Amino acid sequence: MSGFNSSTNGHPPRIGVFICHCGTNIAGKVNVPEVVEFARTLPFVAVAKEYKYMCSDPGQEMIKHDIQQYGLTRLLVAACSPHIHEETFRKVASEASINPFLFQMVNIRELVSWVTEDGHEATEKAKAMIRAAAKRVLFHDELEPKKYPVKPGVVVVGGGIAGIHAALVMADAGERVYLVEREPSIGGHMAMFDKTFPTLDCAACILTPKMTTVRRHPNITVLSYSEVVEVSGFVGNFKVKVKKKPRYVVEEKCVGCYECIEACVFKEPRFPNEFDLGLGKRKPIYVPFPQAVPPVPMIDPETCIQFRTGKCPKGCVNACGDRDGIDFDQKDEIVELEVGGIIVATGFDTFDASRLPYYGYGIYPNVYTGLEVERLLNASGPTGGEVLLRNGQKPQSVGIIHCVGSRDENTNRWCSRVCCMYSLKLAHLMKERTGAEVYNFYIDIRAPGKGYEEFYDRLLQEGVHFIRGKVAEVSDWAMTPDEENRLVIRVEDTLIGMVRRIPVDMVILSVGLEPQRDAQEVTKLFNISCSTGNWFMERHPKLAPVSTMSAGIYLAGACQGPKDIPDTVAQAGAAAAEVLALTHKSVIEVEPNTAFIDERYCSGCQICVGLCPYSAIYYDEEKKVAVLNEPLCLGCGVCAAACPSGAAQQHLFQDEQLYAEIEGALVGVG
Amino acid sequence: MDEQFEPKLIGILCNWCSYMAADLVGTSRIRYAPNIRIIRVMCSGRIESQLILWAFRSGADGVLIGGCNPGDCHYQEGNYKALRRVTLLKQMLPQFGIEPERLRLDWICASCAEEMRKTVEGFTAQIRNLGPLRLQTPPLLKPIKIEMEVSRHVEA
Amino acid sequence: MDYLYYPGCSSKGNGIAYEESLKAVFDALDVRMDELPDWNCCGATSYMSVDEWKAVALAARNLGLAERQADGKDGVDMIAACSACYLGLIRAQRYITDYPELGKQVTAGLEAVGISFKNRVRIRHPLDVLMNDIGTERIASRVKHKLAGMKVACYYGCQIVRPYATFDDQQSPVMMDRLMAAIGAETVNWPLKTRCCGGSLSGTVPETGLRLSFILLKEAKKRGADVVATACPLCQFNLECNQGEMRRLFGESLDLPVVYFTQLMGLAFGLPSRALGIQRLFIPLPAHLLSRVQEGGRNVRV
């Protein structure tokens, strides 16, 4: 059991209290010298000091020095949140040969100075929290971090550019990578684009070579048309269950000749192709796009005659012949993977423009979303790259409406970051391919990237029109004969202070980015959190932007927030590096906040056995006591709370520690 | 007029959601009443009834428990276990002469800074209205030997 | 009594066909509607721009009178059919609560003449009552002759959903469209449902006012509408009676009937056309449409 003499060999404990100014972040509100004076009056405090930046090198050195000089046995640092610098100061303690767990962090920044109006109140609150910690730390035990071997291998969830890039980086470093993609092909949104801003490289030219490399890479296994269904375990030791959905074409047997598609009873493609957003057609057996990876066709049971009637001549089966690649009886297949780390790169969804009926999407056929226009412009798209309206004509004039579903409290408040630039790109391509007059309707132009502002400048030179104002309405009613049979964009031009009506043939809605529709379910699956707006939450917005609160699980790309391709790739590389840093260790240290059961007090009631969410406690029939299987314990403390005799305890959160902390926070000592 | 009563409050927050929210309130520089003292645990399921009673006994006028939203618990369903305990304990509190409103359980997600502020402000105002907790018979609890041990060492 | 009824001046004058058809339809649906005794002007006239508090007080007097009819219930529902009355009465309620100074002045004024005001009246639009209280099922079950093949442009006007959208979408209301669907008519998709009809300008700046009216009707016609259905006496009058002037100004003959939506309901219910004020229309409903709506074996006469 805990007792505060456990590591002092009978000598009274000597606590060092170190209080950080954090520049003015803390000292601007909390009267630090007063708190230092107060700390000196607390029992067993041998030294109390302040410093401008405790986490800096001189700060750390000061602590180490004082530990030696004053013979400190326990350490208390009052600074920022433990989520930021607990590790830093534990390391300081251990370098000065104090067990790192004889340390307590007091959060007087996030919980005190930043949230309290009054300086005196803040000072008093800081004192109470330091008093609580000084009491708590007396009951800390020496602990050793739990060490576990790290399994090799990484699961990357999502096969867009983020997942592809992360997978390649890791695979090149010799890591085994499983790339899981729920669509039939990897490539994600980027594969749908025509050109990329601001350099106007063709998206396919830069992406498809990477996709091919992924497919050929000996260290990468692509699990396409597959979804992660279960994740268990912990950092370094994850078990991931992946469901491979049936594509009715056996991947291992397919040689990618596509003779089956040729031989389908449907001579012409008749069904809307999902990849082309319904603008193009496909057969029941199809590849979503010519450069798909894996280059394996799939059968859509909704439209396939064999599935619907069972009476199809099965041209596809005959065409495949001895290769025998078609299997109408394919079922879901569960693949179990054991890996050390996980990268979540599930990407984004585009805003559903039909939510704003006044922009006419879904009402007027010539109102398109930006993504649809990417397909129209794409050489391998439904029109072979020719911009044709739904009536088959070329547009003479085009209106591009920015910020659709962004920067609006009725839809999404965030700036989607890519729309200004892709609108400019589409404006350029439209003008180049059709010679049409192009109007951009914008709130602000946001072009803060390398070469972005210059691209905007180029567009201005090219004679694209820019009208600053939020569009009120897109409609087809005519006020003048000139407007008849055209789409009319009604907008307040805020630069000339007038309401204008601009008739056009085609409207492009620059829809914003949203989290994937099932983002919430994904967070539950991986035990990660969401920030505002359902974007996945990073561990720290600045200092740990690709980590999550769940150790061993990392984020890459737009699932964390709207991002353009350069940022996505950079982040994917960062996530890959973080995972490599993890998997290249032979062992991983895990916070030793696991439970322990003191046999002497255990009555064998088994309440804890049923409550443990990880089945980490079992009942020893012989000894008649509950026994903990420590590697399975993830340290929630439910057993400690439920144990009627106090036999079950949780390291770092033992009864005495919590009792002391609560008492210290409320009652003054001495 | 008497000076306004300022209650002492203990907030016991889970590491993954409500403590993160409390951190976020800080990084967002949102102000709230200074009455609350926050204690971090890994999961709201760690919080046992005795811990709450101990807080009241030690002079807290109110105790706020913060957990993850239903379905979001980092440890599967520790928050449901907290809910069960708090529900039961609230029925017992009047026997000790403690109004059940002095104990509050809330689900606060990691990104819910504004929610956190509202909860703390609301709870502080509520307890301010209730007035100080005056325990006639402090609940019997596990003896804690802090003072004993302190004096033992001082003597040594 | 199911509802109180506030008629307003139009319903007794040039908009009488609205009242006739509304009453006939509610009768047919067995919904009782009692006229508010001793009602006065709703304050929607130019009074509002001359003296705000007197205009609000004028409207509020009607609300105070309505409260007397509450019969001990904690509120009363009062139907205001004319768009201007509907908005005028709701605006009075909102102003009294949103601007406490004005509110005090108004309630004090009412008290001086022995009327207490506690803001307990719910102002309801007939569309709201028909769709939300009575429901399309009950309405559809009352239909004798479906208005099959009749293409209706539903025109809501500027006041029902703006600025206070109490029962329908502010940008693109749908209640009348759904109601028309319930009686078997087809509605045309037009984006001008709440666009200004030009009514308030056709007297003062006719060039502008009539142009607005013309655009509305021209677009309705372009989309294949046989008839425009309105819920406002001013819109009805303005869109119907000025078509001759529009022809003169814009050189296009429209001849598009403009009716109250309640008149179309009455026709579908098989009610006598006289009871619906159909004979008061200046631009008659086309015979080929009416011939489908039989009344006791005879064609409906206009």
Side-chain angles (χ1 to χ4, degrees):
Chain A
M1 282 293 282
S2 164
F4 68 66
N5 58 345
S6 61
S7 56
T8 53
N9 305 321
H11 298 297
R14 293 175 64 78
I15 307 175
V17 181
F18 296 88
I19 302 167
C20 180
H21 288 201
C22 195
T24 55
N25 282 310
I26 292 169
K29 193 64 84 175
V30 173
N31 183 342
V32 177
E34 190 184 323
V35 179
V36 171
E37 278 309 313
F38 169 79
R40 288 189 178 131
T41 66
L42 294 171
F44 304 110
V45 170
V47 62
K49 282 195 176 171
E50 59 189 295
Y51 188 66
K52 209 168 266 305
Y53 295 103
M54 204 60 81
C55 57
S56 68
D57 235 25
Q60 296 190 25
E61 283 309 315
M62 178 178 88
I63 297 176
K64 281 187 219 166
H65 174 265
D66 285 1
I67 290 174
Q68 302 300 336
Q69 182 175 350
Y70 295 96
L72 301 179
T73 57
R74 294 186 189 229
L75 180 62
L76 203 149
V77 176
C80 50
S81 170
H83 286 146
I84 298 175
H85 274 314
E86 191 171 54
E87 275 313 308
T88 312
F89 294 111
R90 276 185 184 165
K91 226 172 123 225
V92 170
S94 119
E95 280 166 14
S97 37
I98 298 187
N99 182 288
F101 298 96
L102 299 177
F103 156 73
Q104 177 71 8
M105 183 107 190
V106 191
N107 182 355
I108 58 166
R109 192 178 72 176
E110 280 82 349
L111 298 188
V112 180
S113 67
W114 276 348
V115 294
T116 311
E117 190 66 60
D118 180 77
H120 175 69
E121 307 266 28
T123 307
E124 289 307 310
K125 189 172 177 182
K127 283 183 191 171
M129 287 176 66
I130 287 172
R131 190 173 62 210
K135 209 157 207 181
R136 182 196 216 273
V137 81
L138 294 173
F139 292 89
H140 280 207
D141 285 337
E142 286 190 359
L143 295 172
E144 285 306 320
K146 288 191 295 176
K147 289 187 175 151
Y148 294 104
V150 177
K151 293 202 174 108
V154 182
V155 165
V156 177
V157 188
I161 180 59
I164 289 172
H165 184 74
L168 284 174
V169 170
M170 294 186 293
D172 283 347
E175 196 62 57
R176 179 89 222 135
V177 180
Y178 303 92
L179 182 58
V180 182
E181 167 57 53
R182 74 166 152 196
E183 299 297 329
S185 167
I186 61 170
H189 281 101
M190 188 173 169
M192 301 167 86
F193 302 160
D194 178 36
K195 297 278 163 69
T196 56
F197 61 77
T199 47
L200 300 174
D201 317 75
C202 139
C205 313
I206 55 179
L207 178 66
T208 49
K210 284 182 98 108
M211 288 164 62
T212 316
T213 318
V214 164
R215 184 165 68 89
R216 299 226 172 103
H217 208 295
N219 286 342
I220 301 180
T221 307
V222 176
L223 296 160
S224 62
Y225 209 44
S226 302
E227 288 183 51
V228 173
V229 288
E230 197 183 307
V231 179
S232 57
F234 56 95
V235 52
N237 296 269
F238 289 111
K239 284 200 176 99
V240 181
K241 271 190 194 166
V242 179
K243 183 176 84 182
K244 288 188 80 171
K245 296 176 279 189
R247 63 198 302 155
Y248 307 110
V249 175
V250 183
E251 224 178 300
E252 294 73 25
K253 293 181 180 171
C254 176
V255 295
C257 66
Y258 301 165
E259 281 170 27
C260 50
I261 301 177
E262 284 296 313
C264 179
V265 284
F266 287 97
K267 287 298 157 228
E268 290 300 320
R270 275 186 49 185
F271 306 101
N273 185 352
E274 293 82 356
F275 187 80
D276 284 333
L277 304 166
L279 294 167
K281 300 265 188 277
R282 61 159 171 80
K283 294 182 179 183
I285 184 164
Y286 67 104
V287 279
F289 57 104
Q291 303 81 14
V293 167
V296 179
M298 63 172 286
I299 298 172
D300 167 23
E302 297 287 309
T303 50
C304 169
I305 299 278
Q306 178 62 22
F307 276 98
R308 290 169 66 91
T309 66
K311 290 179 197 144
C312 182
K314 292 184 270 194
C316 53
V317 175
N318 298 333
C320 199
D322 292 343
R323 287 165 291 196
D324 192 24
I326 313 273
D327 177 6
F328 291 110
D329 298 320
Q330 216 175 35
K331 297 273 177 299
D332 283 348
E333 187 192 333
I334 300 289
V335 182
E336 291 196 29
L337 306 169
E338 295 200 0
V339 292
I342 296 172
I343 292 180
V344 178
T346 49
F348 64 92
D349 219 328
T350 50
F351 175 79
D352 173 12
S354 62
R355 280 171 61 193
L356 301 176
Y358 43 90
Y359 285 161
Y361 182 75
I363 300 169
Y364 307 118
N366 292 336
V367 178
Y368 294 84
T369 66
L371 202 53
E372 286 171 341
V373 177
E374 296 279 0
R375 293 313 297 153
L376 289 183
L377 287 164
N378 196 301
S380 62
T383 54
E386 206 178 344
V387 182
L388 296 174
L389 296 174
R390 285 195 168 95
N391 61 12
Q393 290 183 337
K394 270 195 175 189
Q396 303 286 308
S397 53
V398 179
I400 302 179
I401 302 178
H402 294 215
C403 295
V404 176
S406 307
R407 303 182 70 199
D408 183 345
E409 60 183 23
N410 297 313
T411 54
N412 298 318
R413 301 183 73 110
W414 57 80
C415 166
S416 295
R417 288 191 58 196
V418 295
C419 325
C420 277
M421 290 310 295
Y422 84 62
S423 301
L424 296 181
K425 172 191 72 182
L426 293 177
H428 169 84
L429 295 174
M430 277 293 166
K431 202 157 176 71
E432 186 182 72
R433 305 267 177 94
T434 66
E437 286 297 318
V438 180
Y439 300 87
N440 275 275
F441 301 89
Y442 66 101
I443 308 177
D444 301 288
I445 291 287
R446 296 191 165 175
K450 191 173 180 182
Y452 289 11
E453 183 69 18
E454 295 90 321
F455 187 65
Y456 173 38
D457 226 36
R458 172 174 166 190
L459 269 280
L460 290 170
Q461 304 296 332
E462 283 175 3
V464 171
H465 305 283
F466 286 86
I467 295 172
R468 198 187 80 175
K470 202 167 172 180
V471 170
E473 181 188 58
V474 173
S475 66
D476 67 343
W477 60 273
M479 205 145 179
T480 60
D482 180 45
E483 292 177 357
E484 292 289 349
N485 302 316
R486 301 177 83 185
L487 292 167
V488 179
I489 296 172
R490 217 148 54 85
V491 61
E492 183 194 3
D493 187 330
T494 57
L495 293 180
I496 59 170
M498 272 177 69
V499 173
R500 293 175 71 181
R501 295 173 59 87
I502 314 257
V504 293
D505 300 324
M506 179 188 199
V507 170
I508 303 173
L509 303 179
S510 296
V511 285
L513 270 45
E514 282 191 337
Q516 293 272 6
R517 307 267 181 269
D518 55 353
Q520 279 289 344
E521 286 88 88
V522 174
T523 58
K524 283 178 192 155
L525 199 56
F526 292 96
N527 220 338
I528 55 181
S529 323
C530 280
S531 342
T532 324
N534 271 351
W535 301 103
F536 296 157
M537 186 146 100
E538 62 285 340
R539 191 180 178 93
H540 189 277
K542 284 145 196 119
L543 301 178
V546 298
S547 313
T548 65
M549 287 304 288
S550 293
I553 299 182
Y554 300 87
L555 302 174
C559 62
Q560 179 259 348
K563 252 173 224 72
D564 58 13
I565 295 168
D567 284 6
T568 296
V569 171
Q571 203 192 23
E578 299 257 3
V579 175
L580 290 174
L582 165 70
T583 54
H584 280 214
K585 289 180 200 161
S586 52
V587 288
I588 175 90
E589 289 191 357
V590 180
E591 179 96 350
N593 58 12
T594 42
F596 61 97
I597 297 170
D598 192 328
E599 283 184 12
R600 291 173 298 166
Y601 301 107
C602 178
S603 66
C605 73
Q606 298 177 57
I607 287 174
C608 56
V609 175
L611 284 176
C612 178
Y614 307 104
S615 311
I617 306 178
Y618 62 93
Y619 182 61
D620 185 329
E621 292 286 353
E622 230 162 74
K623 289 188 178 170
K624 310 269 182 234
V625 290
V627 180
L628 180 81
N629 182 4
E630 205 187 344
L632 294 182
C633 174
L634 294 191
C636 65
V638 161
C639 53
C643 181
S645 65
Q649 285 293 334
Q650 183 188 11
H651 285 306
L652 292 173
F653 297 92
Q654 295 179 40
D655 281 353
E656 260 72 14
Q657 295 166 355
L658 293 174
Y659 279 57
E661 188 176 358
I662 288 175
E663 197 186 51
L666 293 164
V667 192
V669 177
Chain B
M1 215 179 112
D2 288 343
E3 205 175 301
Q4 180 176 256
F5 162 64
E6 285 303 337
K8 287 188 196 169
L9 305 177
I10 287 288
I12 312 179
L13 309 183
C14 83
N15 182 59
W16 305 100
C17 295
S18 42
Y19 192 88
M20 287 290 280
D23 265 0
L24 184 64
V25 179
T27 39
S28 317
R29 311 294 202 279
I30 298 171
R31 309 272 193 236
Y32 56 75
N35 307 54
I36 196 162
R37 310 278 180 261
I38 289 169
I39 313 282
R40 182 173 67 104
V41 291
M42 293 311 286
C43 176
S44 54
R46 168 68 185 90
I47 302 162
E48 62 207 54
S49 304
Q50 294 203 45
L51 210 55
I52 296 165
L53 289 172
W54 176 256
F56 284 123
R57 201 196 150 194
S58 306
D61 299 300
V63 177
L64 174 72
I65 310 287
C68 303
N69 275 315
D72 284 353
C73 176
H74 195 81
Y75 303 102
Q76 296 182 8
E77 40 191 48
N79 51 352
Y80 298 148
K81 287 157 190 157
L83 176 63
R84 294 206 297 244
R85 287 197 193 110
V86 167
T87 310
L88 274 176
L89 182 61
K90 269 172 171 279
Q91 292 179 13
M92 282 174 59
L93 283 181
Q95 298 173 26
F96 299 112
I98 303 171
E99 296 91 334
E101 302 82 62
R102 291 187 187 274
L103 173 60
R104 174 157 164 186
L105 170 70
D106 254 305
W107 312 133
I108 300 159
C109 78
S111 57
C112 300
E114 185 49 29
E115 183 77 22
M116 187 77 200
R117 183 197 67 80
K118 274 195 208 148
T119 304
V120 173
E121 286 284 359
F123 191 55
T124 310
Q126 190 187 340
I127 303 299
R128 205 178 271 141
N129 286 339
L130 266 178
L133 173 67
R134 291 201 178 83
L135 280 182
Q136 299 300 324
T137 47
L140 276 176
L141 292 164
K142 277 186 211 179
I144 179 162
K145 305 187 192 85
I146 298 178
E147 305 312 329
M148 275 171 56
E149 295 218 17
V150 167
S151 47
R152 188 159 60 83
H153 278 282
V154 170
E155 281 154 23
Chain C
M1 177 194 74
D2 297 315
Y3 298 94
L4 264 180
Y5 169 58
Y6 174 83
C9 61
S10 294
S11 303
K12 303 294 178 188
N14 59 17
I16 193 160
Y18 193 10
E19 182 177 273
E20 287 170 341
S21 54
L22 179 71
K23 282 186 168 167
V25 163
F26 270 56
D27 272 351
L29 289 165
D30 285 324
V31 180
R32 210 179 127 189
M33 201 167 69
D34 291 347
E35 191 166 314
L36 176 71
D38 195 28
W39 59 272
N40 58 260
C41 172
C42 72
T45 56
S46 35
Y47 214 162
M48 199 68 200
S49 28
V50 179
D51 190 329
E52 203 174 57
W53 96 257
K54 279 182 190 146
V56 172
L58 207 55
R61 180 175 180 273
N62 294 309
L63 299 168
L65 292 178
E67 279 173 21
R68 291 185 186 169
Q69 310 292 320
D71 291 334
K73 285 180 286 186
D74 58 289
V76 58
D77 288 47
M78 181 159 75
I79 293 175
C82 164
S83 295
C85 301
Y86 176 72
L87 175 61
L89 294 173
I90 289 185
R91 180 171 50 204
Q93 288 182 321
R94 298 280 178 119
Y95 273 34
I96 288 168
T97 44
D98 292 352
Y99 308 107
E101 276 303 307
L102 178 75
K104 257 186 247 167
Q105 227 175 347
V106 168
T107 41
L110 289 177
E111 263 162 34
V113 292
I115 296 173
S116 75
F117 175 83
K118 296 197 179 62
N119 219 350
R120 281 162 46 198
V121 182
R122 286 178 294 273
I123 304 298
R124 307 286 304 273
H125 193 273
L127 276 173
D128 178 14
V129 171
L130 284 164
M131 295 302 287
N132 294 321
D133 295 5
I134 298 169
T136 46
E137 219 167 280
R138 215 167 122 196
I139 294 167
S141 72
R142 185 64 188 73
V143 170
K144 265 195 189 153
H145 318 291
K146 285 196 164 188
L147 301 185
M150 188 186 284
K151 283 189 158 183
V152 183
C154 294
Y155 179 64
Y156 297 73
C158 58
Q159 292 175 312
I160 307 181
V161 286
R162 287 195 314 229
Y164 311 115
T166 53
F167 67 94
D168 209 341
D169 187 82
Q170 205 157 24
Q171 301 274 358
S172 165
V174 292
M175 289 297 181
M176 200 194 299
D177 293 71
R178 288 189 190 154
L179 181 61
M180 289 297 117
I183 60 171
E186 197 181 318
T187 57
V188 301
N189 186 7
W190 69 329
L192 296 150
K193 289 174 177 182
T194 60
R195 185 93 188 148
C196 176
C197 75
S200 53
L201 293 172
S202 49
T204 47
V205 198
E207 283 283 320
T208 308
L210 290 172
R211 208 159 90 88
L212 293 171
S213 312
F214 173 73
I215 288 168
L216 278 187
L217 294 170
K218 173 206 72 170
E219 287 293 328
K221 196 157 183 174
K222 190 165 96 185
R223 285 149 217 269
D226 300 312
V227 55
V228 174
T230 74
C232 173
L234 180 63
C235 302
Q236 195 277 334
F237 170 81
N238 180 56
L239 291 175
E240 187 189 38
C241 300
N242 287 328
Q243 288 190 21
E245 193 62 15
M246 289 176 215
R247 183 172 52 234
R248 198 181 61 76
L249 273 172
F250 306 106
E252 193 176 323
S253 179
L254 292 161
D255 287 325
L256 192 61
V258 183
V259 303
Y260 295 105
F261 72 97
T262 41
Q263 289 180 305
L264 293 180
M265 287 181 77
L267 287 176
F269 288 179
L271 305 177
S273 65
R274 280 213 159 259
L276 302 170
I278 298 283
Q279 77 285 4
R280 299 183 195 275
L281 294 174
F282 286 100
I283 300 171
L285 286 164
H288 72 276
L289 285 179
L290 282 177
S291 65
R292 299 192 194 157
V293 187
Q294 299 291 312
E295 187 210 342
R298 288 180 291 127
N299 281 358
V300 179
R301 303 240 176 256
V302 181

